[in-house]
Amino acid sequence: MTAISTQSLTKYYGKSRGVIDLNFNVEEGETYGFIGPNGAGKSTTIRLFLSLLFPTSGKAQIFGLDIVREDKKIKQMVGFVPSEVNYYNYMTVKEILEYSARFYKVPLNGHFKNLVEMLEIDLHKKFEELSMGNKKKVAVVQALLHQPRLLILDEPTSGLDPLMQSRFFQIISDENKKGTTVFFSSHILSEVEKLCHRVAIIKEGKIIREDNIAHLKSTQLSRVTLHWSGAVKRISVPTPGVLDKHDTMDGMTFLFEGDPRQLLHDLSELPIGRISIEEPDLEEVFMHYYEDKNGEGQS
């Protein structure tokens, strides 16, 4: 079954762009990455899914339910971790989670206790006393109390220390193995690469690329590093498809998109002592797709 489906989903704030003509599907049981810098439209998309905003045009469904007309049913099936966490400051963590459990009509059972132990949450502190990271941990538990079919994460690791980030990833991985669909919005590409099956790159409100991570990394681009065999002046590589070239102390490095046979033929004419050709990381792929026509990165 399709967990999330969008058809030309568009949101404008007056004349300002939110998101434009989003068309993508997230299948039930997968972990889907939604990546782009701040202002690209990630949070707007999530707010549309949660009926915190309403579309200007287009539509979307979650588990076949319309996000506008059937939002109450959707909210029973969704867990949400926002980028900034705000609850009632005067309540203790336990009171907040008990309140949420009553809302979803679920008990604070062993599942809840395991989450609290893994994230080392102090249930007796008032929310206003918590650090940003501890507030985020409470949000993670609150989102998973009712064991949702769909978990929506908006920059979920901000404020978490490395140990808690590792435990968070383990929790999300475990939930996904049990069948929970995960929509993971982030600008931290290493996190998306570690966790997600497929990824969409959003730029200025539009999706510019959607693919599974392995294919996105391996079939389009290669990271090439050359070391000259002796002291030489700067050398250019004539092969089309050389991108993001940087000279180093004893050679050069660049991304390559094109026919590798032509590249190797052209490199055979150069004074190369050593060469390495590697799969680029997701950040390099991402920056490639974010370059404008003049080769300058988008801010």
Side-chain angles (χ1 to χ4, degrees), residues 105-157:
K105 299 178 181 178
V106 296
L108 295 181
N109 54 17
H111 174 66
F112 160 76
K113 293 177 181 177
N114 288 336
L115 292 172
V116 169
E117 289 177 4
M118 282 191 71
L119 294 173
E120 299 180 6
I121 293 174
D122 186 342
L123 294 174
H124 303 291
K125 276 196 171 184
K126 287 188 176 180
F127 187 75
E128 63 184 356
E129 299 172 346
L130 301 180
S131 66
M132 177 182 175
N134 283 322
K135 289 179 179 179
K136 185 61 65 76
K137 291 191 288 184
V138 174
V140 171
V141 176
Q142 189 275 332
L144 291 171
L145 277 179
H146 57 304
Q147 301 187 57
R149 288 179 67 186
L150 171 64
L151 182 61
I152 297 178
L153 308 172
D154 188 6
E155 305 285 354
T157 62

Side-chain angles (χ1 to χ4, degrees), residues 42 53 56 58 80 131 133 147 155 181 222 227 258 274 286:
K42 302 188 304 299
L53 296 172
T56 303
F80 174 48
S131 66
Q147 301 187 57
E155 305 285 354
T181 304
S222 299
H227 299 273
R274 185 157 47 94
F286 174 81

Side-chain angles (χ1 to χ4, degrees), residues 178-191:
K178 290 188 289 187
T180 302
T181 304
V182 181
F183 186 84
F184 190 113
S185 173
S186 180
H187 69 280
I188 303 175
L189 304 177
S190 60
E191 296 181 353

